[in-house]
Amino acid sequence: MITTVTLNPAIDTRYFIDDFKEGKLFRAEKIVKSPGGKGLNVTKILKQLGTDVTATGILGGKNGEWIVEKLKERNIKESFFISSKETRVCIAILSNNSETEILETSETIEENELKKFEIIFTELLEQSEIVTMSGSLLKGTKKDYYRKLVEIANVKGKKVILDTSGKALLEGIKAKPYLIKPNLDELEYVLGEKIDNDKKIKRAVYKLKELGAQNILLSMGKNGAFYFGETNFKIIIPKIKVCNTVGSGDSTVAGLAKGLHDNLKIEDTLKLAMACGMSNAQKMETGAVDIDDVKSFQEKIEIVKFEL
Ligand code: ADP
């Protein structure tokens, strides 16, 4: 089984408004709500890939209940800790040429609630081979909270894929997660400067490895990815028409988790991961793929070894 951790989920609400402008009154005729948070996107993709997956994390209030209901409708197994704090709502206003996002910060979680979540998490590990941890930490957790969770999983010999950013990533990698999936923005944060050449990528990778990163998939949108592991690979993807790239990184994480879970060769795992990211980029829905497209993309992706 794969366990996905979403500490800070949200109800993603999209308003479709023509000619949206700041400071005016608008009525939203079309509204689409969905369970959101990067870990829940990973979960939705794993479910589509036919994997045994259980979602965990922290939910609360009416919004939390709504998310549980939506996961049930999709037959997704979940074991969330139910907190006294209301789960947040994130809003995206999609207009003709613009996308405006308003992301609520979470309410502050109490230490004793975190302890209760950790009990659920530890129990789930017993039946899990792979664990993904995605997204931001919620208010009330220390910046090294992922480090704590990765350490719990490592003790049990479970492989962790950690996909987060900023301080949470820098602290989290100190626990040596099996795999991390930064993008270029995240690498720039690590290096503290703009990355505009391969030398800088190399410096950032060395820094991540020094801090504790084991294997690194650096995803670069339409430019494919680099994998830094026992062997290093450049992953070259074909040009495609895209619709909505939000969630492509999460889809990539799902492909990585599935490949590791099924003990695929690393080259095949990387192809699956890229194909999932690409297929998501072609869908309007965030955290969705077309299985036939995933299969056909896998055949068109090229993997080339290189020395660091
Ligand atoms: P993140 O969402 O974490 O920033 P990326 O944008 O790097 O992640 O996307 C992850 C993967 O999804 C890419 O490596 C690629 O396989 C696919 N992808 C994303 N954007 C595009 C695009 N515009 N064209 C083709 N594939 C894409």
Side-chain angles (χ1 to χ4, degrees), residues 28-42:
E29 299 285 342
K30 186 178 167 196
I31 304 164
V32 179
K33 293 207 297 178
S34 58
K38 287 165 69 65
L40 285 178
N41 292 338
V42 176

Side-chain angles (χ1 to χ4, degrees), residues 108 139 260 290 296 305:
T108 305
K139 257 208 297 203
L260 289 177
D290 180 296
S296 93
K305 275 189 200 176

Side-chain angles (χ1 to χ4, degrees), residues 181 183 219-222 224 237 240 242 245 248-249 252 274 277-278:
K181 192 224 69 66
N183 58 21
S219 71
M220 302 182 300
K222 65 177 177 353
I237 63 172
I240 53 162
V242 304
T245 60
S248 280
T252 299
M274 288 292 100
M278 290 168 69

Side-chain angles (χ1 to χ4, degrees), residues 233-259:
F233 296 103
K234 180 173 171 56
I235 310 147
I236 303 155
I237 63 172
K239 252 202 168 71
I240 53 162
K241 261 210 169 124
V242 304
C243 176
N244 168 26
T245 60
V246 180
S248 280
D250 306 329
S251 309
T252 299
V253 168
L256 291 169
K258 166 90 174 148

Side-chain angles (χ1 to χ4, degrees), residues 122-173:
T122 308
E123 277 171 13
L124 282 170
L125 285 177
E126 295 303 329
Q127 315 140 50
S128 315
E129 293 82 37
I130 309 290
V131 184
T132 68
M133 299 180 191
S134 308
S136 55
L137 294 168
L138 72 174
K139 257 208 297 203
T141 52
K142 296 203 181 90
K143 290 284 173 246
D144 64 355
Y145 193 62
Y146 277 130
R147 180 177 180 174
K148 181 174 189 182
L149 295 184
V150 175
E151 277 165 0
I152 295 173
N154 282 352
V155 166
K156 301 216 175 248
K158 311 298 174 170
K159 284 183 179 160
V160 176
I161 304 176
L162 177 64
D163 182 20
T164 184
S165 54
K167 261 227 139 85
L169 172 66
L170 285 182
E171 289 300 320
I173 54 180

